[in-house]
Amino acid sequence: MLVIKIMNSFHVFLSYVPLILLIFILFQMKCLQRNYEKVPVKIQRICFGILATVALLPFILYHQNIDVRQLFMNAKQDRLQPIHESSKVKQISTILLYNAKHWEKAIWESYSNKSFWENCPFTCRITTDQKLYNESDAVIFVIDLLGGRTLPKKLPKQVWIFAQYESTNYLMKEIHSKFVTSSNLKNYNNKVNWTISYRRDSDFPFIHGSYSVRQNKFEDASLTKFKSFKKKNGTAWFVSHCGTSSKRENYVNLLRKHLSVHIYGACGKMKVPSNCPKSRELAIRECWGLAKSKCFDILDEKYLFYLSFENALCRDYVTEKGLHHVTQHNIIPVMRGSANYSLFNPPTSYIDTKDFSSPKQLAKYLHSIETDAKLQSQFQKWKREYVSSYPRENWRRNMCNICQRLNDPVKYMRVYNDIYKWIVTPNNQPGCWLPSDLH
């Protein structure tokens, strides 16, 4: 501090050096002496020019945004100047996960703060401590978990983000959420700035997995187990949520009239493999790629098809069942939902029940694949071109994008006038549908 004060005083002195030099020159030229009238006309003109320059110099420097002291300083001295407001490094923004999902906490806690922000051009502070609400620049509320809770008062310049990971049908028709109602959500109109959702029209779409082009298409060692299906057959389904708005359980019952389906978990009679996680915490870590999973290894050993059926038929609603969670195995996923799967999955990487008029027709097609090796190979080509990644990377990417926006909130300013309408009837269209394929 003492050194900086001395340098600042020296800088003030330096700012007067030009004026002192000019006064000295004028005295030497007798411009400021009493016998000025005896000075030759030529010298008088030079004196007048110097005086005019002295008078105009401050205005020139001001309009050109030049600090006089910079003309007399070297780079080392300049670093000791006090930092001006315009050149301050922006304070790191704080993102509060107000009521984080269990898997969000697991992802965040598995990284150090430094490693979490790797490959992100911005760095923020993430916290789950609600006591830091008043210090938070952005607050993320997971509406799936709010129930009948009332949110705290929104602070000036604070960004509110509503996150929805469960389908709207699940929230409204299965658990009957007291938060996602027209009367309750109107309290938050013109307060919500950004959204996180499975829908592609949200500010930060969250996808349960993604695909990228392989760098070494024909040299990846992980492709060895995908060379053939080894004459496997049969269909498997892991499920614990038995009664759903999509009526997937009804569809499977119709399908089983024409096709054998082994159902593992609470909704079936097949015993869950012994290498499946015994605790919820471990199941979460395996699902999100934080721990190695062996639960689905049985798919590689025995089955040709896996039923990736969603619990709700909603716009863009695709979960890990049809993305990375299963496609990393040597299996053909059969998808049922209301999403356009071609926007999420590589070509010929799945079978869509919407392409068949009935469960019976689907069963007929699956039987034909079981006996046709050439047809089976069509569902393996994509593995040589693409590789799937765990959804945790998409969550990290969303946090990075939020952090970026917080560094320029004015540019990304937005507010939802009717948040209930956006959630339930986007663009005046239903966001979810009832099944129409149960026949």
Side-chain angles (χ1 to χ4, degrees), residues 154-349:
K154 185 178 183 180
L155 304 180
K157 297 184 179 181
Q158 196 175 61
V159 173
W160 272 18
I161 306 171
F162 271 15
Q164 179 188 356
Y165 299 111
E166 299 290 351
S167 70
T168 302
N169 262 8
Y170 174 77
L171 297 178
M172 299 184 70
K173 296 185 178 182
E174 292 193 36
I175 66 172
H176 305 287
S177 170
K178 294 181 179 179
F179 190 83
V180 186
T181 64
S182 176
S183 59
N184 182 63
L185 286 179
K186 70 180 181 182
N187 297 318
Y188 306 108
N189 289 342
N190 300 309
K191 291 184 179 180
V192 180
N193 303 102
W194 302 331
T195 55
I196 302 173
S197 170
Y198 55 84
R199 276 174 31 200
R200 293 183 298 116
D201 61 342
S202 59
D203 295 284
F204 306 100
F206 177 73
I207 303 173
H208 289 261
S210 57
Y211 297 88
S212 57
V213 177
R214 286 186 182 275
Q215 297 302 313
N216 300 312
K217 298 180 181 179
F218 301 101
E219 300 176 6
D220 196 315
S222 64
L223 288 174
T224 55
K225 71 176 183 179
F226 297 130
K227 286 184 177 180
S228 71
F229 286 115
K230 300 178 182 179
K231 297 183 180 180
K232 297 193 304 176
N233 55 44
T235 304
W237 187 30
F238 282 69
V239 59
S240 57
H241 183 187
C242 307
T244 64
S245 63
S246 69
K247 304 297 181 185
R248 62 185 179 188
E249 59 279 2
N250 295 6
Y251 190 98
V252 173
N253 287 336
L254 294 173
L255 184 65
R256 294 180 75 184
K257 293 180 179 181
H258 314 282
L259 181 77
S260 174
V261 178
H262 288 179
I263 303 176
Y264 293 85
C267 305
K269 296 181 179 180
M270 300 296 292
K271 185 178 179 180
V272 174
S274 59
N275 53 7
C276 286
K278 301 298 188 296
S279 66
R280 184 185 186 190
E281 290 73 20
L282 183 56
I284 291 169
R285 293 185 61 80
E286 289 188 6
C287 182
W288 295 88
L290 302 174
K292 184 175 177 57
S293 173
K294 294 184 178 181
C295 184
F296 287 90
D297 287 354
I298 192 171
L299 300 180
D300 296 321
E301 301 166 4
K302 295 182 61 175
Y303 299 101
L304 183 58
F305 306 106
Y306 181 81
L307 301 184
S308 299
F309 287 6
E310 302 296 351
N311 61 20
L313 305 177
C314 298
R315 178 186 303 182
D316 299 332
Y317 186 62
V318 185
T319 65
E320 73 284 351
K321 302 175 189 67
L323 292 169
H324 177 81
H325 198 36
V326 172
T327 52
Q328 61 182 316
H329 293 279
N330 194 23
I331 203 81
I332 302 175
V334 181
M335 318 281 277
R336 182 175 181 266
S338 287
N340 180 352
Y341 291 114
S342 66
L343 299 174
F344 300 91
N345 300 67
T348 67
S349 64

Side-chain angles (χ1 to χ4, degrees), residues 394-421:
N394 293 334
W395 190 80
R396 286 181 67 194
R397 191 177 300 115
N398 275 350
M399 292 300 108
C400 176
N401 291 336
I402 290 172
C403 189
Q404 176 184 357
R405 290 195 181 191
L406 290 176
N407 278 268
D408 193 357
V410 175
K411 179 180 178 181
Y412 297 100
M413 187 177 296
R414 180 178 184 180
V415 66
Y416 285 80
N417 299 321
D418 191 335
I419 188 63
Y420 176 83
K421 181 179 178 181

Side-chain angles (χ1 to χ4, degrees), residues 56-83:
L56 293 174
L57 184 61
F59 296 97
I60 296 172
L61 295 176
Y62 174 79
H63 287 287
Q64 295 298 320
N65 196 26
I66 298 174
D67 188 342
V68 174
R69 293 174 293 176
Q70 292 178 358
L71 303 176
F72 301 90
M73 292 182 211
N74 58 35
K76 184 176 180 180
Q77 291 172 323
D78 189 54
R79 286 196 294 270
L80 295 175
Q81 291 188 88
I83 300 176

